[in-house]
Amino acid sequence: MTDLIKIAVDAMGGDGSPKKIIDGIIHHNKFNKNVFYKIFGDEKKILNHIDKKLDKSFFQIFHTDKKVESTDSPLEAAKKGKNSSMWLAIESVKNKDSDIVISAGNTGALLVISKLNLKMIENIDKPALSALWPNKKGMSVVLDLGANIECSSKNLVDFSIMGASLYKSLYPDDKANVALLNIGSEELKGNETIKETFQLLNKKRSVDFNFSGYIEGNELMNGNVNVVVSDGFTGNVALKTAEGTANFITSELKSAMTGSILSKISSFLNMSNLKKFKKRLDPRLYNGAIFIGLDSPVVKSHGGTDYIGFSNSLDVCHRIIKGNLIDKIKYNLEI
C-alpha cells in the first residue's frame, strides 16, 4: 500500500452518489492497479454498491453519515463541521494520509473547505480553477474558470506558471505553450492588467513553457496554444459559451440526421464518423476540474456526470500525482 497513489474520495457528492462514485472507482481500478482509494461516506450504502466488485486491498472506507448538500452555501457547508464526507476527505490530504482529494459535490463548498484546510503554495496569492478542453491537436489547460473574478498581473503570471506545470504533469512529453485570453492579438490590445501581464511573461524564461502572447476566443480550439490564461470572470464566460456551443452543435446535428428517412439513411451510412464526432465532444472524457495553488491538489468532478466521467476524473488525479504537479509549480516559481 505504501507504493500506491492514495486518492481521498468524497463518495457522497454529486447526483447518483454513492453508486456513481463507487462504479467509477471500480471502472478506474480495472485499468489502474497502483491506486488506493480512501472512500469517505456512508459505509452501509458504499458497501452495498462495492459488493465484492473491488478487491479489499485497493480501498478503505471511512464512515460518516454527514454530507454537504448541493443546496448548501459554502458558509453553511463549512459550519457543518468536520464530520462531512467532503471535509474528512480534504482533511485526509491535509494530514498527508492521502496524496490528492476528489469530490463531485458542491463546487463552492469544496473550494471554501479546501482553502480552510490546506495551505497556499508559498508566493501564490490566489488559487485557480482549471480544466481540460479539447482542441484540434489534443488538449488544452484553461484557467481561471471562476475562482477569482478580479486578478492582478501577478495573479495571471502565477496562473500561467501553474497552468503550464499542470499541462506538463498531464502531458510530460509535450511543451506547454501559454497565451493570455484577450480581445485581440496585438500587443496594445486589452486592459492595463492584461498588458502588464504580457510584459512580465515576455521577460520570464522557463524550461517548462513558451509564452505565445495573446489568444482570441475564436482561436481557443486551433491547438497552437495549450495553456490559456484569464481572470475567473472571463474564463467562466468562455467555458459556458464553449459548453453551450458544443451542446447546440450536437443537438442540431442529431436533429438534421434524424429529420427524414433520407437523413436517417445518410446517418446510418456515416455511423462510424458520427461516433467519432460524438466521442470527440463527449464531456465525460474531459471531466475533472483542478483547483490549483494550494499545497495539495484538489479535483472537482462534475456533479451530473456518470461513472465513466468520474472514472476519467480519477485518472486526472492519478496523472497529477504521478507527474509531481506541486513540485513542478514550486520549481517554476523559483526560476
Side-chain angles (χ1 to χ4, degrees):
M1 177 177 162
T2 54
D3 295 330
L4 301 180
I5 291 172
K6 296 180 283 295
I7 302 177
V9 182
D10 169 18
M12 310 308 292
D15 302 337
S17 298
K19 184 180 188 307
K20 171 184 70 179
I21 306 300
I22 301 308
D23 287 347
I25 289 173
I26 292 168
H27 185 265
H28 185 256
N29 177 254
K30 290 178 182 178
F31 309 99
N32 298 274
K33 300 301 183 184
N34 63 336
V35 174
F36 187 86
Y37 310 94
K38 295 198 167 191
I39 307 171
F40 295 82
D42 190 311
E43 184 172 19
K44 184 178 180 180
K45 293 179 180 179
I46 292 167
L47 285 173
N48 284 342
H49 296 301
I50 287 182
D51 192 29
K52 299 180 182 179
K53 296 175 184 176
L54 187 65
D55 191 300
K56 290 183 179 180
S57 63
F58 289 109
F59 74 93
Q60 183 178 2
I61 299 171
F62 299 83
H63 172 72
T64 178
D65 56 5
K66 302 289 191 303
K67 66 176 183 177
V68 173
E69 303 289 348
S70 61
T71 53
D72 287 341
S73 71
L75 183 59
E76 287 171 337
K79 282 184 176 179
K80 282 189 173 181
K82 301 179 180 180
N83 294 320
S84 70
S85 56
M86 182 183 289
W87 186 292
L88 290 173
I90 294 169
E91 195 171 56
S92 176
V93 174
K94 174 186 176 181
N95 295 334
K96 307 300 181 185
D97 295 325
S98 300
D99 300 308
I100 191 168
V101 61
I102 181 172
S103 174
N106 184 317
T107 303
L110 182 66
L111 301 190
V112 168
I113 295 174
S114 295
K115 289 175 74 173
L116 287 173
N117 278 280
L118 304 173
K119 295 178 181 179
M120 296 290 297
I121 294 173
E122 189 175 359
N123 296 323
I124 295 289
D125 297 332
K126 294 181 178 181
L129 191 62
S130 60
L132 294 171
W133 288 14
N135 63 50
K136 289 181 180 179
K137 299 179 181 180
M139 299 296 294
S140 298
V141 168
V142 186
L143 72 167
D144 178 30
L145 296 176
N148 307 282
I149 301 302
E150 294 183 358
C151 296
S152 66
S153 57
K154 181 189 182 304
N155 297 147
L156 294 180
V157 170
D158 290 344
F159 295 171
S160 301
I161 292 170
M162 292 192 295
S165 300
L166 174 59
Y167 186 85
K168 287 293 292 181
S169 295
L170 297 172
Y171 306 100
D173 296 329
D174 297 340
K175 186 78 173 182
N177 292 311
V178 178
L180 298 169
L181 183 58
N182 199 8
I183 58 172
S185 58
E186 298 87 352
E187 188 173 335
L188 296 178
K189 286 287 183 71
N191 59 38
E192 291 306 313
T193 301
I194 287 285
K195 289 188 282 188
E196 186 176 340
T197 306
F198 180 97
Q199 296 300 326
L200 291 172
L201 286 173
N202 237 358
K203 296 174 184 177
K204 185 168 182 60
R205 295 290 177 263
S206 173
V207 295
D208 266 359
F209 71 88
N210 297 320
F211 177 55
S212 301
Y214 295 136
I215 186 170
E216 297 181 75
N218 61 334
E219 298 175 341
L220 289 176
M221 307 301 181
N222 64 18
N224 295 328
V225 166
N226 50 37
V227 179
V228 180
V229 178
S230 76
D231 61 76
F233 181 90
T234 307
N236 192 269
V237 171
L239 171 66
K240 299 297 171 57
T241 302
E243 288 177 341
T245 302
N247 290 336
F248 173 76
I249 292 171
T250 303
S251 176
E252 289 297 303
L253 183 62
K254 183 177 179 180
S255 297
M257 288 297 186
T258 58
S260 66
I261 295 296
L262 186 61
S263 297
K264 290 178 181 178
I265 293 172
S266 175
S267 63
F268 178 78
L269 294 174
N270 287 282
M271 187 62 68
S272 177
N273 289 330
L274 288 173
K275 284 182 177 179
K276 290 179 183 178
F277 174 82
K278 183 180 179 181
K279 184 176 181 180
R280 189 75 173 116
L281 293 182
D282 188 346
R284 299 179 304 173
L285 301 180
Y286 319 115
N287 185 47
I290 306 99
F291 196 42
I292 50 177
L294 302 171
D295 63 2
S296 295
V298 177
V299 173
K300 171 64 174 71
S301 172
H302 196 291
T305 193
D306 63 8
Y307 78 97
I308 295 292
F310 192 79
S311 176
N312 283 325
S313 62
L314 285 169
D315 194 54
V316 170
C317 292
H318 181 196
R319 291 160 64 194
I320 283 174
I321 297 304
K322 192 175 179 181
N324 298 311
L325 170 61
I326 303 301
D327 289 341
K328 277 185 170 60
I329 292 174
K330 291 177 178 179
Y331 172 77
N332 283 313
L333 284 171
E334 292 174 355
I335 60 176

